Each structure stands twice: as C-alpha cells, then as structure tokens.
Amino acid sequence: MEDVDRRLDRYISLVLRAGMLLSVMVMVAGLVLFILSPGPVESIPIEHLPGELMSGSPVAIIALGILLLIITPLARVIAAAVVFAVDREYLFVAASLAVLAVIALAIAV
Amino acid sequence: MDLLITAGVLLASALAGILGSMFGLGGGILIIPLLTLGLGIDMKDAIGASLIGVIASSTGAAGRYVGEGLVNIRLGMLMEPATTLGSIAGAFLAIYLNQSILALVFAAVLLYSAFYMYKRPELTVHARREDLCQYLDSCYVDRRTGEKIEYKVHNLRRGLLASFAAGNMSGMLGVGGGIVKVPAMNVWMGVPMKVATATSNFMIGVTAVAGAIVLYVNGLVSPVLAATVALGVFAGANIGPRLVRRTAGRTLRQYFALVLVAISALMALEAFGIMGGA
C-alpha cells in the first residue's frame, strides 16, 4: 500500500512546486517591467486588478503573482481533499474541508 | 525602494527563508524585525510582506519536503483546522488579556521546551510493521544515512490541543505557531524531528492564508516589497531543506532548542517593553 502514500506526496508536491514556479515567473516578469518603467508602488484594490492587468501595469502583474502565491496553499488543500476522496479516506476529506471552512470563517470575521 | 534597500530586503528574506524552512517556523519572526529595525521599513508594510513571506517559505520548503517524503500530510491535515481555529480565537482573546504577561508566560513555556529538547533524547516509538507507512503512522528515508525510519504518532488529542494553543498564541502575540507545533509533535507525539519541522512547514502556509487574504483585499500588501520578500524567501526556502538533508535529526533538535531560547529571550524583552515588534 506504500504506493498510495507516494501518490499523495507526488500530487501535493506537484501543486506546491507548480504554484511556486508560476508565482515566481509572474512576480519576476512584473518586477522587471517595473524596473524598466518605474511608476507608483501603491497596492491596487482587488476590483481594479483585472483592468490594470489589461493595461499592462507592472504593479498589477506583481500583485497577480502575489495572488497566485496566496492561492497555492488553498490549491494544495483542495488537491489533498480530492486524493483522499478518491481513496475513500473520509476522515481526511472532512479535515481538508474543515480547513477551507475555517479559512472562510476567518476571512468573514 | 533604492537598490541598496532592495538588496538588503532580498538578503534578509533569504536568511529568514533558510532558517524558517529548516526549523518549520515560517520566518515571520525574523522578517519583521529585519525589515523594520534593520532596514527602516514601515511596520504596516512589513507585516503584509512578512505574511506573504511566510506563505513563500512554506510553499517553497514544503514542495521539497513533501517530494522527499518527510511530511506527514495526514497529521498536518488533522492539525491545520485546530491551529486556524485557535488563531481566530486568539485574535479575539488578545483584546481582553494583558499582552506582556502573556508574552512572559509564553517565553517560559518555550524555555522549558528548549531545555527538554536539548537534554532529553528523542522518544520515537518505532512502528513495528513495514506496511504501517501508509496512514498516520508513517515512515521516511533519512537522506543523510539512507536509513528507513518508521514511527508511530501517539497522543493525537494532546497534539490537536497543542495546535489549538499554538494558533491561539500566534493570534494573540503575532508569533508563528510553528514554534509550539514542532515541540508538540516531537516531544508529545513521538514524531521524529525532521518530520516535525517538515510537517510544520507544510502547515504554516495554510495558517497564513486567511490573514494574507484579508490584508491583500484591503490593499495592505505593498506589491513591490512583498514580491521582493517572496523571491528572497523562495531562494532561502530552497536552500534550507538541502541543509537539513545533511544534518542529523539529533543535531537539528539541539539547534531548534537554541532557536527556542533566542525567541523566548526576544519575547521577554518585548514584554518588558525594551524592544517592540518581534
């Protein structure tokens, strides 16, 4: 049964590494553009992010990279929940969902 | 940011990333003082950047540790909701309790754990059967010696309580929960040191996400600073696990005890109002 565990490790590690790589690439691209054409550094309200991205603002690209980084741990909780569900380890599916619920609660209060 | 400050931020974050990823601490405890006291960056900007740095440290290091089979994912998943709940409760309790007394009590607990971890040998109960490597009881291969180590997780309830307390402390005092979770896993639950630090690394990112989203949505994460910190931390978090690979679990445990002493000293100083914002 050791293979089952290695599969969990493999998927989670894949999600974490992909998230890291993606966010690093976007942040580096944004920072390079920012150095080439410096502008104001203040943070962009999240509702303006899509528009600013369309207009190619370097700070918006950096902010997108940070957003990707923040999403990565959530993505790995979801990935774990899926693997546990497929393996019918319902205790751990519940634990994964509880993590997501508590995070939602923390954001709400 | 001028070039010199940028280089300083990168260096400081890389250092925090190395230490945070080696000991499962996230590194916020290092990033904030380095940015504010060392580089004169505003506390408000430092807090947001440090939370992003903690996620970077966790993501970077856990990607490696999980790949090496060091992380007990199931144990981590069970401890996470307890920690996150604890940190919400802590944020509310903080309003009613005296921060200085709290910091002193916490410093004392850390000092005791340090003494224990330095003096007593590691008590891991070895799992008897090879096929136990698939559930909460797990196993890993020590990259330094090539030895396969099997272990049992015990005192799960006490461990969950400790994670709740760890989250509570981090909510009340702004100290990362890893500093409590690592000794709880290692001393109480019989989890080998390398697995304890790797699993703590794995959990920290998720604990930090809630706070990070709140700050991000409210525009309190300064993008350029946070991205610079994240890149520095990523570099460090990819070096830390390599160092751990070459370190014996016993040695890592003794270093961790020293880190505990240093942090409890910092907290005592803060409690007496000598130094703020650690």
Side-chain angles (χ1 to χ4, degrees), chain A residues 1 5-6 9 13 16-17 20 24 31 41 43 59 62-63 66-67 69-70 73 76-77 89 92 95-96 99 102 106, chain B residues 52 55 59-60 63 66-67 69 73-74 77 80-81 84 88 133-135 202 206 209-210 216 219 221 223 227 231 234:
Chain A
M1 290 294 280
D5 216 45
R6 293 305 303 170
D9 281 356
S13 155
L16 291 171
R17 281 171 199 230
M20 176 171 87
V24 165
L31 283 171
V41 295
S43 63
V59 175
I62 298 171
I66 295 171
L67 194 61
L69 176 57
I70 297 177
R76 79 113 170 103
V77 175
E89 292 190 45
F92 295 99
S96 315
V99 173
V102 171
Chain B
I52 300 301
I55 298 178
T59 305
V66 172
I73 294 179
R74 288 184 180 79
M77 298 303 280
E80 267 161 16
T84 320
I88 300 177
C133 292
Q134 44 149 336
Y135 203 56
F202 175 74
V206 165
V209 159
Y216 188 94
V221 175
L231 291 179
F234 267 140

Side-chain angles (χ1 to χ4, degrees), chain B residues 21 110 118 187 213 253 265:
Chain B
S21 63
L110 293 187
Y118 197 84
V187 174
I213 291 179
R253 199 169 189 250

Side-chain angles (χ1 to χ4, degrees), chain A residues 23-46:
Chain A
S23 70
V24 165
M25 287 193 306
V26 175
M27 283 191 289
V28 168
L31 283 171
V32 168
L33 289 175
F34 180 75
I35 292 165
L36 294 178
S37 62
V41 295
E42 59 261 26
S43 63
I44 296 164
I46 196 156

Side-chain angles (χ1 to χ4, degrees), chain B residues 46-58:
Chain B
I47 290 176
S50 135
L51 257 183
I52 300 301
V54 169
I55 298 178
S57 170
S58 169

Side-chain angles (χ1 to χ4, degrees), chain B residues 221-233:
Chain B
V221 175
S222 156
V224 176
L225 177 66
T228 312
V229 166
L231 291 179
V233 167

